[in-house]
Structures are given as structure tokens and as C-alpha cells.
Amino acid sequence: MRIAATADLHFTPAQHQALHDQLNRVRDAADVLALAGDLTNYGKPEEMEPLLNVIVRSRVPTVAVLGNHDYESGKQEELMRMMSAAGIKVLDGTGYERDGVGFAGTKGFVGGFGRSMLTAFGEMEIKQFVQASIDEAVKLERAMAQLRTKKRVVVIHYSPIASTVEGEAVEILPFLGTSRLAEVVDRHGADLVVHGHAHHGRPEGKTTGGCPVYNVAITLLQSQEPSSSYRIFDV
Ligand SMILES: [Fe+2]
Ligand SMILES: [Fe+2]
């Protein structure tokens, strides 16, 4: 299966034609399109509507997770309903199998990496913050546990590893993802992990368990040589 992956479209109606042209080519290049969150800028249904038009017209089966920007207006449930109604498989702590390939996805959360990961110690506010991170890891666990396929693809918005967010300002690295997600990936094993959120991170890395991780933020893909709006993976 050929999977085209991208993230962080931050769709605005001004990009309508450009995105239409880019996605038109996906149909020839891939069997499935995976969108790793931040589909909109402010999480408004008015932003999602025209984006869905473009995606539906591209006629590529699409799986997607939401990103933090898609939560900005508190309308994430409505956005997910709109996407599902348009035929997009929304992954929110859920799995999906298609042609022998399993997709597991969730938004993920922040919290930092490795020994620098924030832990639930001290103030109630810190504990709640860390709990949000644990909750997303548990959702990914549930999604991966659902899959019965040999081949597994993980779609998340936040990064599970530090190496694909490096390049961003060091001060914000803990806000770009968390190793809690990688721990889940390594427990279940994955052939491919794609994420976004770190617009200026690095294109690829690996979990400590050896699972390949790719940052498919569109700004990063477009900054590479050759420049592209999505990256194709064979699984
Ligand atoms: Fe983004
Ligand atoms: Fe983001």
C-alpha cells in the first residue's frame, strides 16, 4: 500500500486552489492519504467545510487525526462529525483496517522526551497537565490494541520522539510531543509512524524500539529538496 502523508495544512480559503492542485496528484501517487492534524487554523467549521470539498474531490481514501489548532474553537466534535460525514476515517483513539494495513491514531499531547519528560509531581495543575498526556497515550494504546493486521501505521499530531522535532527552538521542544507516545508504539510495534506539529523539525527518526518515525508537517516537506506537499510511504 502506498500512503501519502502530510500534516499542518492550517487550511485557509486562500489556499483552496493550490491545495486542490496538490491533492489532485495524490490520487495517482497513493492508495491512502493520511492527515496528521492541524487541518485548520482555528478549528472552525467554516474552515473545515472548504477543506473537505478539496479532499472529497481528490477521491483518495483518507484517514486523519486532529491537531491542537483544530481544538482552538472547542468545536472538535463538530469537525470530526463533518469529516466522518464526508467519508474521512477520523482516528481518535481508534483503529481502522484497510486492505491488510491497520491504522491507529490519536492527537497525542505534549510533555517532553526521555528523562526530561514532565512527571505528575507537585501541584494539582501539573498533575492534570500530565494526566492529559497520559490520557492520549492510553488512547493510542487502545487504538493499537484494536488492530489485527500485520502491518501497522500510526498517525499522531504530536511527536513521539525528540529527534524529529529538533531544529525547533530548544525552549519549546517539550511542547512538541512526548515519549509517552513512543512507549506505546514500541509495545505494539509499527511499520510507520507519521506526525506533524513541529513545522521546522527534522524529517525522520526512530523510536528506541526501532520503529521509523517521520515528521510530515507540510512546511518541512516543502522545505526539502525536492519540495513536496506530502511524502509517500510504501508499507
Ligand atoms: Fe501546525
Ligand atoms: Fe500543531
mmCIF file with all atom_site columns, all heavy atoms in Angstrom, residues 165-193:
data_model
loop_
_atom_site.group_PDB
_atom_site.id
_atom_site.type_symbol
_atom_site.label_atom_id
_atom_site.label_alt_id
_atom_site.label_comp_id
_atom_site.label_asym_id
_atom_site.label_entity_id
_atom_site.label_seq_id
_atom_site.pdbx_PDB_ins_code
_atom_site.Cartn_x
_atom_site.Cartn_y
_atom_site.Cartn_z
_atom_site.occupancy
_atom_site.B_iso_or_equiv
_atom_site.pdbx_formal_charge
_atom_site.auth_seq_id
_atom_site.auth_comp_id
_atom_site.auth_asym_id
_atom_site.auth_atom_id
_atom_site.pdbx_PDB_model_num
ATOM 1   N N   . VAL A 1 165 ? 11.750 16.616 16.161 1.00 0.00 ? 165 VAL A N   1
ATOM 2   C CA  . VAL A 1 165 ? 11.351 17.992 16.487 1.00 0.00 ? 165 VAL A CA  1
ATOM 3   C C   . VAL A 1 165 ? 12.576 18.887 16.626 1.00 0.00 ? 165 VAL A C   1
ATOM 4   O O   . VAL A 1 165 ? 12.463 20.112 16.735 1.00 0.00 ? 165 VAL A O   1
ATOM 5   C CB  . VAL A 1 165 ? 10.463 18.083 17.757 1.00 0.00 ? 165 VAL A CB  1
ATOM 6   C CG1 . VAL A 1 165 ? 9.235  17.219 17.609 1.00 0.00 ? 165 VAL A CG1 1
ATOM 7   C CG2 . VAL A 1 165 ? 11.237 17.714 19.009 1.00 0.00 ? 165 VAL A CG2 1
ATOM 8   N N   . GLU A 1 166 ? 13.762 18.282 16.632 1.00 0.00 ? 166 GLU A N   1
ATOM 9   C CA  . GLU A 1 166 ? 14.988 19.068 16.721 1.00 0.00 ? 166 GLU A CA  1
ATOM 10  C C   . GLU A 1 166 ? 15.087 19.986 15.512 1.00 0.00 ? 166 GLU A C   1
ATOM 11  O O   . GLU A 1 166 ? 14.724 19.585 14.405 1.00 0.00 ? 166 GLU A O   1
ATOM 12  C CB  . GLU A 1 166 ? 16.211 18.141 16.784 1.00 0.00 ? 166 GLU A CB  1
ATOM 13  C CG  . GLU A 1 166 ? 16.442 17.609 18.179 1.00 0.00 ? 166 GLU A CG  1
ATOM 14  C CD  . GLU A 1 166 ? 17.401 16.433 18.198 1.00 0.00 ? 166 GLU A CD  1
ATOM 15  O OE1 . GLU A 1 166 ? 18.046 16.170 17.169 1.00 0.00 ? 166 GLU A OE1 1
ATOM 16  O OE2 . GLU A 1 166 ? 17.479 15.781 19.251 1.00 0.00 ? 166 GLU A OE2 1
ATOM 17  N N   . GLY A 1 167 ? 15.557 21.179 15.757 1.00 0.00 ? 167 GLY A N   1
ATOM 18  C CA  . GLY A 1 167 ? 15.548 22.191 14.693 1.00 0.00 ? 167 GLY A CA  1
ATOM 19  C C   . GLY A 1 167 ? 14.611 23.318 15.094 1.00 0.00 ? 167 GLY A C   1
ATOM 20  O O   . GLY A 1 167 ? 14.779 24.460 14.690 1.00 0.00 ? 167 GLY A O   1
ATOM 21  N N   . GLU A 1 168 ? 13.634 22.962 15.919 1.00 0.00 ? 168 GLU A N   1
ATOM 22  C CA  . GLU A 1 168 ? 12.781 23.987 16.512 1.00 0.00 ? 168 GLU A CA  1
ATOM 23  C C   . GLU A 1 168 ? 13.556 24.610 17.685 1.00 0.00 ? 168 GLU A C   1
ATOM 24  O O   . GLU A 1 168 ? 14.537 24.042 18.158 1.00 0.00 ? 168 GLU A O   1
ATOM 25  C CB  . GLU A 1 168 ? 11.488 23.350 17.058 1.00 0.00 ? 168 GLU A CB  1
ATOM 26  C CG  . GLU A 1 168 ? 10.606 22.722 15.989 1.00 0.00 ? 168 GLU A CG  1
ATOM 27  C CD  . GLU A 1 168 ? 9.640  23.724 15.356 1.00 0.00 ? 168 GLU A CD  1
ATOM 28  O OE1 . GLU A 1 168 ? 9.711  24.928 15.697 1.00 0.00 ? 168 GLU A OE1 1
ATOM 29  O OE2 . GLU A 1 168 ? 8.829  23.299 14.521 1.00 0.00 ? 168 GLU A OE2 1
ATOM 30  N N   . ALA A 1 169 ? 13.108 25.769 18.178 1.00 0.00 ? 169 ALA A N   1
ATOM 31  C CA  . ALA A 1 169 ? 13.766 26.411 19.323 1.00 0.00 ? 169 ALA A CA  1
ATOM 32  C C   . ALA A 1 169 ? 13.803 25.442 20.502 1.00 0.00 ? 169 ALA A C   1
ATOM 33  O O   . ALA A 1 169 ? 12.786 24.809 20.817 1.00 0.00 ? 169 ALA A O   1
ATOM 34  C CB  . ALA A 1 169 ? 13.010 27.684 19.708 1.00 0.00 ? 169 ALA A CB  1
ATOM 35  N N   . VAL A 1 170 ? 14.951 25.288 21.150 1.00 0.00 ? 170 VAL A N   1
ATOM 36  C CA  . VAL A 1 170 ? 15.078 24.322 22.244 1.00 0.00 ? 170 VAL A CA  1
ATOM 37  C C   . VAL A 1 170 ? 14.082 24.598 23.362 1.00 0.00 ? 170 VAL A C   1
ATOM 38  O O   . VAL A 1 170 ? 13.635 23.674 24.035 1.00 0.00 ? 170 VAL A O   1
ATOM 39  C CB  . VAL A 1 170 ? 16.515 24.266 22.838 1.00 0.00 ? 170 VAL A CB  1
ATOM 40  C CG1 . VAL A 1 170 ? 17.463 23.595 21.891 1.00 0.00 ? 170 VAL A CG1 1
ATOM 41  C CG2 . VAL A 1 170 ? 17.014 25.647 23.229 1.00 0.00 ? 170 VAL A CG2 1
ATOM 42  N N   . GLU A 1 171 ? 13.731 25.878 23.549 1.00 0.00 ? 171 GLU A N   1
ATOM 43  C CA  . GLU A 1 171 ? 12.810 26.223 24.638 1.00 0.00 ? 171 GLU A CA  1
ATOM 44  C C   . GLU A 1 171 ? 11.441 25.573 24.476 1.00 0.00 ? 171 GLU A C   1
ATOM 45  O O   . GLU A 1 171 ? 10.730 25.354 25.454 1.00 0.00 ? 171 GLU A O   1
ATOM 46  C CB  . GLU A 1 171 ? 12.620 27.748 24.717 1.00 0.00 ? 171 GLU A CB  1
ATOM 47  C CG  . GLU A 1 171 ? 13.847 28.514 25.164 1.00 0.00 ? 171 GLU A CG  1
ATOM 48  C CD  . GLU A 1 171 ? 14.809 28.820 24.016 1.00 0.00 ? 171 GLU A CD  1
ATOM 49  O OE1 . GLU A 1 171 ? 14.585 28.330 22.890 1.00 0.00 ? 171 GLU A OE1 1
ATOM 50  O OE2 . GLU A 1 171 ? 15.786 29.548 24.265 1.00 0.00 ? 171 GLU A OE2 1
ATOM 51  N N   . ILE A 1 172 ? 11.045 25.259 23.248 1.00 0.00 ? 172 ILE A N   1
ATOM 52  C CA  . ILE A 1 172 ? 9.682  24.732 23.056 1.00 0.00 ? 172 ILE A CA  1
ATOM 53  C C   . ILE A 1 172 ? 9.651  23.218 22.801 1.00 0.00 ? 172 ILE A C   1
ATOM 54  O O   . ILE A 1 172 ? 8.580  22.639 22.631 1.00 0.00 ? 172 ILE A O   1
ATOM 55  C CB  . ILE A 1 172 ? 8.936  25.462 21.902 1.00 0.00 ? 172 ILE A CB  1
ATOM 56  C CG1 . ILE A 1 172 ? 9.581  25.177 20.533 1.00 0.00 ? 172 ILE A CG1 1
ATOM 57  C CG2 . ILE A 1 172 ? 8.847  26.951 22.164 1.00 0.00 ? 172 ILE A CG2 1
ATOM 58  C CD1 . ILE A 1 172 ? 8.681  25.550 19.359 1.00 0.00 ? 172 ILE A CD1 1
ATOM 59  N N   . LEU A 1 173 ? 10.804 22.561 22.807 1.00 0.00 ? 173 LEU A N   1
ATOM 60  C CA  . LEU A 1 173 ? 10.820 21.122 22.478 1.00 0.00 ? 173 LEU A CA  1
ATOM 61  C C   . LEU A 1 173 ? 9.848  20.280 23.321 1.00 0.00 ? 173 LEU A C   1
ATOM 62  O O   . LEU A 1 173 ? 9.158  19.417 22.776 1.00 0.00 ? 173 LEU A O   1
ATOM 63  C CB  . LEU A 1 173 ? 12.246 20.550 22.561 1.00 0.00 ? 173 LEU A CB  1
ATOM 64  C CG  . LEU A 1 173 ? 13.264 21.148 21.573 1.00 0.00 ? 173 LEU A CG  1
ATOM 65  C CD1 . LEU A 1 173 ? 14.571 20.361 21.613 1.00 0.00 ? 173 LEU A CD1 1
ATOM 66  C CD2 . LEU A 1 173 ? 12.737 21.190 20.150 1.00 0.00 ? 173 LEU A CD2 1
ATOM 67  N N   . PRO A 1 174 ? 9.751  20.526 24.664 1.00 0.00 ? 174 PRO A N   1
ATOM 68  C CA  . PRO A 1 174 ? 8.816  19.696 25.448 1.00 0.00 ? 174 PRO A CA  1
ATOM 69  C C   . PRO A 1 174 ? 7.346  19.904 25.060 1.00 0.00 ? 174 PRO A C   1
ATOM 70  O O   . PRO A 1 174 ? 6.489  19.116 25.445 1.00 0.00 ? 174 PRO A O   1
ATOM 71  C CB  . PRO A 1 174 ? 9.053  20.158 26.887 1.00 0.00 ? 174 PRO A CB  1
ATOM 72  C CG  . PRO A 1 174 ? 10.350 20.901 26.870 1.00 0.00 ? 174 PRO A CG  1
ATOM 73  C CD  . PRO A 1 174 ? 10.493 21.465 25.499 1.00 0.00 ? 174 PRO A CD  1
ATOM 74  N N   . PHE A 1 175 ? 7.081  20.996 24.314 1.00 0.00 ? 175 PHE A N   1
ATOM 75  C CA  . PHE A 1 175 ? 5.691  21.273 23.902 1.00 0.00 ? 175 PHE A CA  1
ATOM 76  C C   . PHE A 1 175 ? 5.393  20.718 22.520 1.00 0.00 ? 175 PHE A C   1
ATOM 77  O O   . PHE A 1 175 ? 4.346  20.993 21.937 1.00 0.00 ? 175 PHE A O   1
ATOM 78  C CB  . PHE A 1 175 ? 5.417  22.784 23.922 1.00 0.00 ? 175 PHE A CB  1
ATOM 79  C CG  . PHE A 1 175 ? 5.768  23.428 25.226 1.00 0.00 ? 175 PHE A CG  1
ATOM 80  C CD1 . PHE A 1 175 ? 6.665  24.477 25.286 1.00 0.00 ? 175 PHE A CD1 1
ATOM 81  C CD2 . PHE A 1 175 ? 5.225  22.947 26.412 1.00 0.00 ? 175 PHE A CD2 1
ATOM 82  C CE1 . PHE A 1 175 ? 7.005  25.059 26.495 1.00 0.00 ? 175 PHE A CE1 1
ATOM 83  C CE2 . PHE A 1 175 ? 5.560  23.517 27.618 1.00 0.00 ? 175 PHE A CE2 1
ATOM 84  C CZ  . PHE A 1 175 ? 6.454  24.569 27.671 1.00 0.00 ? 175 PHE A CZ  1
ATOM 85  N N   . LEU A 1 176 ? 6.317  19.955 21.980 1.00 0.00 ? 176 LEU A N   1
ATOM 86  C CA  . LEU A 1 176 ? 6.121  19.430 20.623 1.00 0.00 ? 176 LEU A CA  1
ATOM 87  C C   . LEU A 1 176 ? 5.761  17.952 20.614 1.00 0.00 ? 176 LEU A C   1
ATOM 88  O O   . LEU A 1 176 ? 5.477  17.390 19.553 1.00 0.00 ? 176 LEU A O   1
ATOM 89  C CB  . LEU A 1 176 ? 7.379  19.697 19.787 1.00 0.00 ? 176 LEU A CB  1
ATOM 90  C CG  . LEU A 1 176 ? 7.697  21.198 19.620 1.00 0.00 ? 176 LEU A CG  1
ATOM 91  C CD1 . LEU A 1 176 ? 8.983  21.390 18.845 1.00 0.00 ? 176 LEU A CD1 1
ATOM 92  C CD2 . LEU A 1 176 ? 6.548  21.929 18.939 1.00 0.00 ? 176 LEU A CD2 1
ATOM 93  N N   . GLY A 1 177 ? 5.771  17.336 21.773 1.00 0.00 ? 177 GLY A N   1
ATOM 94  C CA  . GLY A 1 177 ? 5.381  15.934 21.827 1.00 0.00 ? 177 GLY A CA  1
ATOM 95  C C   . GLY A 1 177 ? 5.826  15.286 23.112 1.00 0.00 ? 177 GLY A C   1
ATOM 96  O O   . GLY A 1 177 ? 6.259  15.971 24.046 1.00 0.00 ? 177 GLY A O   1
ATOM 97  N N   . THR A 1 178 ? 5.728  13.982 23.167 1.00 0.00 ? 178 THR A N   1
ATOM 98  C CA  . THR A 1 178 ? 6.135  13.260 24.378 1.00 0.00 ? 178 THR A CA  1
ATOM 99  C C   . THR A 1 178 ? 6.503  11.808 24.072 1.00 0.00 ? 178 THR A C   1
ATOM 100 O O   . THR A 1 178 ? 5.873  11.156 23.234 1.00 0.00 ? 178 THR A O   1
ATOM 101 C CB  . THR A 1 178 ? 5.049  13.291 25.462 1.00 0.00 ? 178 THR A CB  1
ATOM 102 O OG1 . THR A 1 178 ? 5.488  12.494 26.571 1.00 0.00 ? 178 THR A OG1 1
ATOM 103 C CG2 . THR A 1 178 ? 3.723  12.746 24.975 1.00 0.00 ? 178 THR A CG2 1
ATOM 104 N N   . SER A 1 179 ? 7.511  11.320 24.797 1.00 0.00 ? 179 SER A N   1
ATOM 105 C CA  . SER A 1 179 ? 7.937  9.918  24.665 1.00 0.00 ? 179 SER A CA  1
ATOM 106 C C   . SER A 1 179 ? 6.880  8.940  25.139 1.00 0.00 ? 179 SER A C   1
ATOM 107 O O   . SER A 1 179 ? 6.991  7.744  24.868 1.00 0.00 ? 179 SER A O   1
ATOM 108 C CB  . SER A 1 179 ? 9.183  9.649  25.506 1.00 0.00 ? 179 SER A CB  1
ATOM 109 O OG  . SER A 1 179 ? 10.137 10.624 25.331 1.00 0.00 ? 179 SER A OG  1
ATOM 110 N N   . ARG A 1 180 ? 5.880  9.432  25.863 1.00 0.00 ? 180 ARG A N   1
ATOM 111 C CA  . ARG A 1 180 ? 4.820  8.507  26.302 1.00 0.00 ? 180 ARG A CA  1
ATOM 112 C C   . ARG A 1 180 ? 4.174  7.837  25.099 1.00 0.00 ? 180 ARG A C   1
ATOM 113 O O   . ARG A 1 180 ? 3.743  6.689  25.159 1.00 0.00 ? 180 ARG A O   1
ATOM 114 C CB  . ARG A 1 180 ? 3.746  9.251  27.100 1.00 0.00 ? 180 ARG A CB  1
ATOM 115 C CG  . ARG A 1 180 ? 4.175  9.565  28.510 1.00 0.00 ? 180 ARG A CG  1
ATOM 116 C CD  . ARG A 1 180 ? 3.028  9.985  29.402 1.00 0.00 ? 180 ARG A CD  1
ATOM 117 N NE  . ARG A 1 180 ? 3.538  10.194 30.752 1.00 0.00 ? 180 ARG A NE  1
ATOM 118 C CZ  . ARG A 1 180 ? 4.073  11.335 31.175 1.00 0.00 ? 180 ARG A CZ  1
ATOM 119 N NH1 . ARG A 1 180 ? 4.126  12.382 30.379 1.00 0.00 ? 180 ARG A NH1 1
ATOM 120 N NH2 . ARG A 1 180 ? 4.546  11.430 32.398 1.00 0.00 ? 180 ARG A NH2 1
ATOM 121 N N   . LEU A 1 181 ? 4.103  8.576  23.985 1.00 0.00 ? 181 LEU A N   1
ATOM 122 C CA  . LEU A 1 181 ? 3.508  8.019  22.770 1.00 0.00 ? 181 LEU A CA  1
ATOM 123 C C   . LEU A 1 181 ? 4.426  6.947  22.178 1.00 0.00 ? 181 LEU A C   1
ATOM 124 O O   . LEU A 1 181 ? 3.958  5.911  21.688 1.00 0.00 ? 181 LEU A O   1
ATOM 125 C CB  . LEU A 1 181 ? 3.256  9.141  21.751 1.00 0.00 ? 181 LEU A CB  1
ATOM 126 C CG  . LEU A 1 181 ? 2.283  10.230 22.211 1.00 0.00 ? 181 LEU A CG  1
ATOM 127 C CD1 . LEU A 1 181 ? 2.389  11.463 21.316 1.00 0.00 ? 181 LEU A CD1 1
ATOM 128 C CD2 . LEU A 1 181 ? 0.847  9.700  22.219 1.00 0.00 ? 181 LEU A CD2 1
ATOM 129 N N   . ALA A 1 182 ? 5.737  7.181  22.246 1.00 0.00 ? 182 ALA A N   1
ATOM 130 C CA  . ALA A 1 182 ? 6.698  6.214  21.700 1.00 0.00 ? 182 ALA A CA  1
ATOM 131 C C   . ALA A 1 182 ? 6.699  4.914  22.497 1.00 0.00 ? 182 ALA A C   1
ATOM 132 O O   . ALA A 1 182 ? 6.876  3.825  21.927 1.00 0.00 ? 182 ALA A O   1
ATOM 133 C CB  . ALA A 1 182 ? 8.096  6.818  21.686 1.00 0.00 ? 182 ALA A CB  1
ATOM 134 N N   . GLU A 1 183 ? 6.491  5.025  23.801 1.00 0.00 ? 183 GLU A N   1
ATOM 135 C CA  . GLU A 1 183 ? 6.446  3.814  24.636 1.00 0.00 ? 183 GLU A CA  1
ATOM 136 C C   . GLU A 1 183 ? 5.325  2.895  24.152 1.00 0.00 ? 183 GLU A C   1
ATOM 137 O O   . GLU A 1 183 ? 5.488  1.674  24.075 1.00 0.00 ? 183 GLU A O   1
ATOM 138 C CB  . GLU A 1 183 ? 6.202  4.183  26.108 1.00 0.00 ? 183 GLU A CB  1
ATOM 139 C CG  . GLU A 1 183 ? 7.415  4.822  26.770 1.00 0.00 ? 183 GLU A CG  1
ATOM 140 C CD  . GLU A 1 183 ? 7.068  5.485  28.105 1.00 0.00 ? 183 GLU A CD  1
ATOM 141 O OE1 . GLU A 1 183 ? 5.968  5.229  28.643 1.00 0.00 ? 183 GLU A OE1 1
ATOM 142 O OE2 . GLU A 1 183 ? 7.909  6.276  28.587 1.00 0.00 ? 183 GLU A OE2 1
ATOM 143 N N   . VAL A 1 184 ? 4.187  3.487  23.813 1.00 0.00 ? 184 VAL A N   1
ATOM 144 C CA  . VAL A 1 184 ? 3.046  2.698  23.312 1.00 0.00 ? 184 VAL A CA  1
ATOM 145 C C   . VAL A 1 184 ? 3.383  2.097  21.953 1.00 0.00 ? 184 VAL A C   1
ATOM 146 O O   . VAL A 1 184 ? 3.142  0.909  21.704 1.00 0.00 ? 184 VAL A O   1
ATOM 147 C CB  . VAL A 1 184 ? 1.779  3.586  23.205 1.00 0.00 ? 184 VAL A CB  1
ATOM 148 C CG1 . VAL A 1 184 ? 0.637  2.804  22.590 1.00 0.00 ? 184 VAL A CG1 1
ATOM 149 C CG2 . VAL A 1 184 ? 1.388  4.129  24.563 1.00 0.00 ? 184 VAL A CG2 1
ATOM 150 N N   . VAL A 1 185 ? 3.958  2.907  21.080 1.00 0.00 ? 185 VAL A N   1
ATOM 151 C CA  . VAL A 1 185 ? 4.326  2.430  19.740 1.00 0.00 ? 185 VAL A CA  1
ATOM 152 C C   . VAL A 1 185 ? 5.267  1.234  19.866 1.00 0.00 ? 185 VAL A C   1
ATOM 153 O O   . VAL A 1 185 ? 5.084  0.204  19.202 1.00 0.00 ? 185 VAL A O   1
ATOM 154 C CB  . VAL A 1 185 ? 5.001  3.565  18.923 1.00 0.00 ? 185 VAL A CB  1
ATOM 155 C CG1 . VAL A 1 185 ? 5.643  3.008  17.652 1.00 0.00 ? 185 VAL A CG1 1
ATOM 156 C CG2 . VAL A 1 185 ? 3.983  4.644  18.572 1.00 0.00 ? 185 VAL A CG2 1
ATOM 157 N N   . ASP A 1 186 ? 6.240  1.330  20.734 1.00 0.00 ? 186 ASP A N   1
ATOM 158 C CA  . ASP A 1 186 ? 7.228  0.253  20.874 1.00 0.00 ? 186 ASP A CA  1
ATOM 159 C C   . ASP A 1 186 ? 6.627  -1.005 21.503 1.00 0.00 ? 186 ASP A C   1
ATOM 160 O O   . ASP A 1 186 ? 7.062  -2.114 21.204 1.00 0.00 ? 186 ASP A O   1
ATOM 161 C CB  . ASP A 1 186 ? 8.433  0.734  21.695 1.00 0.00 ? 186 ASP A CB  1
ATOM 162 C CG  . ASP A 1 186 ? 9.383  1.566  20.840 1.00 0.00 ? 186 ASP A CG  1
ATOM 163 O OD1 . ASP A 1 186 ? 9.277  1.487  19.599 1.00 0.00 ? 186 ASP A OD1 1
ATOM 164 O OD2 . ASP A 1 186 ? 10.227 2.288  21.404 1.00 0.00 ? 186 ASP A OD2 1
ATOM 165 N N   . ARG A 1 187 ? 5.643  -0.831 22.356 1.00 0.00 ? 187 ARG A N   1
ATOM 166 C CA  . ARG A 1 187 ? 5.000  -2.017 22.945 1.00 0.00 ? 187 ARG A CA  1
ATOM 167 C C   . ARG A 1 187 ? 4.276  -2.831 21.890 1.00 0.00 ? 187 ARG A C   1
ATOM 168 O O   . ARG A 1 187 ? 4.267  -4.055 21.938 1.00 0.00 ? 187 ARG A O   1
ATOM 169 C CB  . ARG A 1 187 ? 3.993  -1.594 24.024 1.00 0.00 ? 187 ARG A CB  1
ATOM 170 C CG  . ARG A 1 187 ? 4.514  -1.775 25.431 1.00 0.00 ? 187 ARG A CG  1
ATOM 171 C CD  . ARG A 1 187 ? 3.434  -1.806 26.482 1.00 0.00 ? 187 ARG A CD  1
ATOM 172 N NE  . ARG A 1 187 ? 2.575  -0.628 26.522 1.00 0.00 ? 187 ARG A NE  1
ATOM 173 C CZ  . ARG A 1 187 ? 2.933  0.529  27.071 1.00 0.00 ? 187 ARG A CZ  1
ATOM 174 N NH1 . ARG A 1 187 ? 4.119  0.683  27.605 1.00 0.00 ? 187 ARG A NH1 1
ATOM 175 N NH2 . ARG A 1 187 ? 2.095  1.542  27.080 1.00 0.00 ? 187 ARG A NH2 1
ATOM 176 N N   . HIS A 1 188 ? 3.672  -2.144 20.913 1.00 0.00 ? 188 HIS A N   1
ATOM 177 C CA  . HIS A 1 188 ? 2.863  -2.838 19.905 1.00 0.00 ? 188 HIS A CA  1
ATOM 178 C C   . HIS A 1 188 ? 3.612  -3.071 18.603 1.00 0.00 ? 188 HIS A C   1
ATOM 179 O O   . HIS A 1 188 ? 3.283  -3.977 17.853 1.00 0.00 ? 188 HIS A O   1
ATOM 180 C CB  . HIS A 1 188 ? 1.577  -2.048 19.625 1.00 0.00 ? 188 HIS A CB  1
ATOM 181 C CG  . HIS A 1 188 ? 0.625  -2.058 20.766 1.00 0.00 ? 188 HIS A CG  1
ATOM 182 N ND1 . HIS A 1 188 ? -0.363 -3.008 20.914 1.00 0.00 ? 188 HIS A ND1 1
ATOM 183 C CD2 . HIS A 1 188 ? 0.528  -1.250 21.844 1.00 0.00 ? 188 HIS A CD2 1
ATOM 184 C CE1 . HIS A 1 188 ? -1.028 -2.770 22.031 1.00 0.00 ? 188 HIS A CE1 1
ATOM 185 N NE2 . HIS A 1 188 ? -0.513 -1.715 22.613 1.00 0.00 ? 188 HIS A NE2 1
ATOM 186 N N   . GLY A 1 189 ? 4.582  -2.234 18.316 1.00 0.00 ? 189 GLY A N   1
ATOM 187 C CA  . GLY A 1 189 ? 5.320  -2.318 17.063 1.00 0.00 ? 189 GLY A CA  1
ATOM 188 C C   . GLY A 1 189 ? 4.559  -1.628 15.939 1.00 0.00 ? 189 GLY A C   1
ATOM 189 O O   . GLY A 1 189 ? 3.331  -1.721 15.842 1.00 0.00 ? 189 GLY A O   1
ATOM 190 N N   . ALA A 1 190 ? 5.288  -0.891 15.096 1.00 0.00 ? 190 ALA A N   1
ATOM 191 C CA  . ALA A 1 190 ? 4.662  -0.204 13.964 1.00 0.00 ? 190 ALA A CA  1
ATOM 192 C C   . ALA A 1 190 ? 5.639  -0.173 12.797 1.00 0.00 ? 190 ALA A C   1
ATOM 193 O O   . ALA A 1 190 ? 6.853  -0.084 12.990 1.00 0.00 ? 190 ALA A O   1
ATOM 194 C CB  . ALA A 1 190 ? 4.265  1.216  14.360 1.00 0.00 ? 190 ALA A CB  1
ATOM 195 N N   . ASP A 1 191 ? 5.090  -0.278 11.590 1.00 0.00 ? 191 ASP A N   1
ATOM 196 C CA  . ASP A 1 191 ? 5.919  -0.206 10.385 1.00 0.00 ? 191 ASP A CA  1
ATOM 197 C C   . ASP A 1 191 ? 6.173  1.238  9.987  1.00 0.00 ? 191 ASP A C   1
ATOM 198 O O   . ASP A 1 191 ? 7.121  1.522  9.243  1.00 0.00 ? 191 ASP A O   1
ATOM 199 C CB  . ASP A 1 191 ? 5.215  -0.930 9.229  1.00 0.00 ? 191 ASP A CB  1
ATOM 200 C CG  . ASP A 1 191 ? 4.967  -2.383 9.567  1.00 0.00 ? 191 ASP A CG  1
ATOM 201 O OD1 . ASP A 1 191 ? 5.907  -3.178 9.446  1.00 0.00 ? 191 ASP A OD1 1
ATOM 202 O OD2 . ASP A 1 191 ? 3.846  -2.717 10.009 1.00 0.00 ? 191 ASP A OD2 1
ATOM 203 N N   . LEU A 1 192 ? 5.296  2.119  10.445 1.00 0.00 ? 192 LEU A N   1
ATOM 204 C CA  . LEU A 1 192 ? 5.399  3.516  10.052 1.00 0.00 ? 192 LEU A CA  1
ATOM 205 C C   . LEU A 1 192 ? 4.679  4.376  11.086 1.00 0.00 ? 192 LEU A C   1
ATOM 206 O O   . LEU A 1 192 ? 3.563  4.054  11.487 1.00 0.00 ? 192 LEU A O   1
ATOM 207 C CB  . LEU A 1 192 ? 4.728  3.690  8.674  1.00 0.00 ? 192 LEU A CB  1
ATOM 208 C CG  . LEU A 1 192 ? 4.504  5.112  8.162  1.00 0.00 ? 192 LEU A CG  1
ATOM 209 C CD1 . LEU A 1 192 ? 5.830  5.802  7.868  1.00 0.00 ? 192 LEU A CD1 1
ATOM 210 C CD2 . LEU A 1 192 ? 3.653  5.093  6.888  1.00 0.00 ? 192 LEU A CD2 1
ATOM 211 N N   . VAL A 1 193 ? 5.333  5.438  11.526 1.00 0.00 ? 193 VAL A N   1
ATOM 212 C CA  . VAL A 1 193 ? 4.689  6.424  12.404 1.00 0.00 ? 193 VAL A CA  1
ATOM 213 C C   . VAL A 1 193 ? 4.834  7.781  11.731 1.00 0.00 ? 193 VAL A C   1
ATOM 214 O O   . VAL A 1 193 ? 5.946  8.173  11.368 1.00 0.00 ? 193 VAL A O   1
ATOM 215 C CB  . VAL A 1 193 ? 5.366  6.480  13.797 1.00 0.00 ? 193 VAL A CB  1
ATOM 216 C CG1 . VAL A 1 193 ? 4.666  7.504  14.685 1.00 0.00 ? 193 VAL A CG1 1
ATOM 217 C CG2 . VAL A 1 193 ? 5.376  5.104  14.459 1.00 0.00 ? 193 VAL A CG2 1
#
